[in-house]
Amino acid sequence: MKRFVAALLVLVSPAVFAHTGHPVEGLLSGWVHPFMGLDHLLAMLSVGLWAAFIARDLRQCGYLPLAFIAFMAAGGALGASGFSLPVADSAIALSVLLLGAFVCAMARVSLPLAMALVALFAAFHGFAHGAEMQNGVDFTGYAAGFSAATAVLHGAGIVLGRLLVRIPALYRATGMVIGATGFVLLSQSV
């Protein structure tokens, strides 16, 4: 328990948020962005973990990631346009908490409902990506980079989920750690 609490305390660093103002310059910046903060990293992996659980077959595992990537790109365009969304950080942290809870609970919901939830979360993640862009940066290259990195993280989550779902206690524990991290992130963002 002491180690778990110590690990959570490490999370009070602002570096756990991917959207901390690092330079955004195109494809490579977009590729690196989802790996730069625990908030995005855990959300992307969680989408894959949850997809592995609720999908009836391997083909269906791609539906949640596709919904996420599509709405993340739309949110990114909104963020890049200069639109203001002051609750984005809190919504991102809440998405980590809820996705962790869905994994922990082994929540089996209809695929359309899961896609809608993931799409909502994705719009906020994308908004944070787009809002960091400086004027003159090519949105297309940047969006291609963060979309490709997101797809890789979703794929890693699906692979991990297909392995962990065979050991329900471990799958649930993974969700619990993700959800607890989301709770800490949410407490930092409010």
Side-chain angles (χ1 to χ4, degrees):
M1 186 64 171
K2 288 180 184 178
R3 289 182 184 147
F4 179 72
V5 171
L8 286 178
L9 289 175
V10 168
L11 298 175
V12 296
S13 162
V16 300
F17 288 100
H19 37 94
T20 58
H22 60 84
V24 175
E25 299 167 350
L27 181 70
L28 184 58
S29 294
W31 168 260
V32 171
H33 188 89
F35 296 99
M36 295 296 291
L38 196 55
D39 54 346
H40 288 298
L41 184 69
L42 290 178
M44 306 313 158
L45 290 172
S46 296
V47 168
L49 286 164
W50 197 30
F53 177 73
I54 65 172
R56 287 182 295 216
D57 56 40
L58 191 56
R59 181 181 54 85
Q60 280 191 352
C61 284
Y63 291 170
L64 292 186
L66 288 174
F68 193 100
I69 291 168
F71 279 82
M72 181 182 63
L78 188 63
S81 75
F83 185 80
S84 177
L85 190 59
V87 299
D89 286 348
S90 296
I92 289 169
L94 182 61
S95 75
V96 176
L97 188 155
L98 291 175
L99 286 165
F102 296 156
V103 170
C104 181
M106 297 180 92
R108 190 169 299 281
V109 301
S110 70
L111 195 54
L113 176 58
M115 289 172 67
L117 289 168
V118 163
L120 176 64
F121 301 154
F124 287 103
H125 283 269
F127 178 84
H129 291 314
E132 288 193 327
M133 289 185 54
Q134 292 87 22
N135 288 333
V137 172
D138 174 34
F139 176 74
T140 306
Y142 181 60
F146 71 67
S147 296
T150 296
V152 167
L153 289 169
H154 288 326
I158 289 169
V159 169
L160 183 61
R162 290 183 62 84
L163 294 172
L164 291 180
V165 81
R166 297 175 186 163
I167 310 166
L170 194 52
Y171 182 85
R172 287 179 187 274
T174 302
M176 187 182 333
V177 169
I178 292 169
T181 304
F183 178 78
V184 171
L185 294 172
L186 186 58
S187 69
Q188 291 175 353
S189 70
V190 289

